[in-house]
Amino acid sequence: MISSEQNVWPAGDVTRVPFWIYTDDEIYRKEQESIYLGPVWNYLCLEAEIPKSGDYCTAFVGDMPVVVTRGPDGGVNAFENRCSHRGSLLALKQRGNAKDFVCVYHAWRHDIKGNLLSVAFSRGVNGEGGMPPDFNVCNHGPRKLRVTTLGGLVFGTLSDETPPIEEYLGEPILARLNRVLRNKPLRIYGGYTQVLKHNWKLYFENIKDSYHSSILHTFFATFKVSRLSQGGGLIVSDSGAHHCSYSLVHQGGADKEFDQEKLRSNMEQEFKLQDKSLLEVEDEFNDDTRAQAVTIFPGFVLQTVHNTIAVRHIQPKGPNETHLKWTMIGFEDDSERLQDMRMKQANLAGPAGFVSMEDGAIGGFVRRGSAAADKESTVVLMGGMSTSSSNSRATEGAIRGFWKAYRSYLGI
């Protein structure tokens, strides 16, 4: 199969990933058209970010800037953040409340649903100039997205072919999402954006890589937050596009299977916690799961580590830069104890803490290490060659699933 004039990827193979797929400009442009503007559900925001009529926030669908609004009828709308006249942004702030959106360039006015309402000086001045007599505002306006909500999450698509989100995800993935969200009103604790100097696919592979967690992340391995020797599993959707990995509570005692690997990340004898309350857990889901990551193709992650919950939105910014938008969440009925625990534990995964800093760095290491390896490939054979679910997390099945779905969308 040919993806560009110079590069070839053997048909059907998801156990070898060519390095050019991360840097090729043509591939990046094709992703925008075939994935982000194609038949997928793109994560946009949380309903809790736009609770009242007129509330809006800005988001991205791939490179496309988007405005998400709450209408007077309580519905959620999304449209391209682009004036249909000369292409200027309509909403300039990240969030706010508005009755309409007036382009600062020439004052073309749009309603809260993105409909063009009026054009300044449409009849000209003193009988001269203005728009043609047959110009109809109804025929102009930014592109609108179909919108769906799920457990307080807002998704959008530009394609009429995208199936209902429940069908898009499949029951096993939907169940792992609902396990956390439970249709309870969400509370936003805060947020930040992490800038990654590498391709978006390297990060999406990383979050699907259940094999690396207790090897790269010293804190997780040392303090038994997540080790491959703990119980857990991997769920991969039939399409391969979405996944869930989870680890259960460490049972305590000797961990010979893990210790015999003599990993750099296991500093159990050297490192101690001064404040052990950091690792206290309230088992709010009643299933002994201590860490879980759910991904929705092409750029959504719902992560829980102990009692901290985060939404991560992977936003491509060119072939060699990615923005990772974090939103820390909980629920409106959180007890004071849970509020304190969610805040304290936020750095178990946040970029100023123990995990995402390392994940961000490793993507940069891959980019630097493969700088002259366009004709070479990565090896994705851990756990076999399938894209199946597994009772073990010592597998790269979810990464293979990602490439299976990715190749189907791009037709390569």
Side-chain angles (χ1 to χ4, degrees), residues 280-311:
E280 291 179 352
V281 178
E282 181 172 318
D283 192 4
E284 60 185 303
F285 308 117
N286 300 311
D287 59 5
D288 282 341
T289 297
R290 291 295 179 265
Q292 172 179 286
V294 179
T295 63
I296 298 177
F297 188 87
F300 171 85
V301 183
L302 179 66
Q303 158 240 296
T304 58
V305 181
H306 286 200
N307 290 107
T308 188
I309 309 174
V311 166

Side-chain angles (χ1 to χ4, degrees), residues 179-191:
R179 166 189 171 270
V180 178
L181 299 174
R182 298 167 289 173
N183 285 319
K184 296 175 63 175
L186 300 179
R187 170 179 175 171
I188 298 172
Y189 280 80

Side-chain angles (χ1 to χ4, degrees), residues 1-301:
M1 286 289 184
I2 297 175
S3 66
S4 71
E5 292 183 359
Q6 302 297 321
N7 299 316
V8 177
W9 192 347
D13 189 1
V14 291
T15 64
R16 302 289 192 281
V17 180
F19 283 108
W20 53 259
I21 201 72
Y22 303 105
T23 57
D24 190 297
D25 288 339
E26 180 185 341
I27 287 292
Y28 184 81
R29 287 192 292 272
K30 193 171 179 60
E31 289 168 352
Q32 297 300 313
E33 176 184 348
S34 300
I35 296 179
Y36 295 102
L37 305 188
V40 302
W41 284 111
N42 297 279
Y43 172 73
L44 299 177
C45 68
L46 300 171
E47 283 197 87
E49 294 181 78
I50 48 171
K52 302 188 301 293
S53 175
D55 283 352
Y56 73 88
C57 67
T58 54
F60 286 92
V61 169
D63 285 338
M64 175 194 284
V66 171
V67 187
V68 189
T69 67
R70 178 77 70 179
D73 58 357
V76 179
N77 314 283
F79 54 90
E80 189 175 13
N81 189 5
R82 174 185 62 85
C83 180
S84 54
H85 179 213
R86 301 300 302 277
S88 173
L89 290 171
L90 289 172
L92 302 180
K93 299 179 180 177
Q94 286 190 335
R95 58 179 51 85
N97 185 280
K99 295 180 179 177
D100 52 23
F101 294 92
V102 180
C103 179
V104 297
Y105 201 176
H106 298 95
W108 286 33
R109 189 165 65 92
H110 305 72
D111 69 14
I112 205 75
K113 295 184 177 181
N115 299 307
L116 178 62
L117 298 177
S118 63
V119 171
F121 299 106
S122 63
R123 299 181 183 277
V125 177
N126 295 326
E128 298 288 338
M131 301 299 287
D134 61 350
F135 181 82
N136 185 344
V137 293
C138 296
N139 297 330
H140 298 269
R143 287 177 285 184
K144 296 177 183 176
L145 286 77
R146 288 170 53 207
V147 172
T148 192
T149 60
L150 179 68
L153 312 173
V154 180
F155 296 86
T157 180
L158 282 152
S159 173
D160 293 334
E161 299 176 4
T162 311
I165 194 158
E166 293 83 1
E167 179 182 337
Y168 180 71
L169 296 178
E171 192 281 330
I173 301 299
L174 193 61
R176 299 304 296 197
L177 271 178
N178 289 335
R179 166 189 171 270
V180 178
L181 299 174
R182 298 167 289 173
N183 285 319
K184 296 175 63 175
L186 300 179
R187 170 179 175 171
I188 298 172
Y189 280 80
Y192 35 78
T193 298
Q194 184 178 2
V195 177
L196 308 173
K197 294 295 185 181
H198 53 74
N199 187 269
W200 68 275
K201 298 185 290 294
L202 286 172
Y203 186 80
F204 215 24
E205 283 186 298
N206 173 273
I207 195 67
K208 289 173 177 285
D209 179 3
S210 54
Y211 173 36
H212 87 283
S213 177
S214 56
I215 299 174
L216 174 65
H217 301 306
T218 299
F219 189 91
F220 273 17
T222 298
F223 297 107
K224 300 184 175 99
V225 176
S226 178
R227 291 182 172 189
L228 282 178
S229 53
Q230 293 173 217
L234 183 79
I235 300 168
V236 184
S237 66
D238 290 342
S239 66
H242 327 295
H243 104 291
C244 171
S245 60
Y246 61 96
S247 61
L248 303 178
V249 62
H250 192 275
Q251 296 301 316
D255 197 345
K256 294 180 181 177
E257 190 175 10
F258 193 80
D259 291 342
Q260 69 184 8
E261 294 290 340
K262 300 188 183 306
L263 300 171
R264 170 202 57 80
S265 58
N266 186 4
M267 305 292 284
E268 196 170 1
Q269 303 304 315
E270 290 82 6
F271 290 169
K272 306 295 178 187
L273 273 181
Q274 283 195 332
D275 180 4
K276 295 183 180 179
S277 69
L278 178 65
L279 296 181
E280 291 179 352
V281 178
E282 181 172 318
D283 192 4
E284 60 185 303
F285 308 117
N286 300 311
D287 59 5
D288 282 341
T289 297
R290 291 295 179 265
Q292 172 179 286
V294 179
T295 63
I296 298 177
F297 188 87
F300 171 85
V301 183

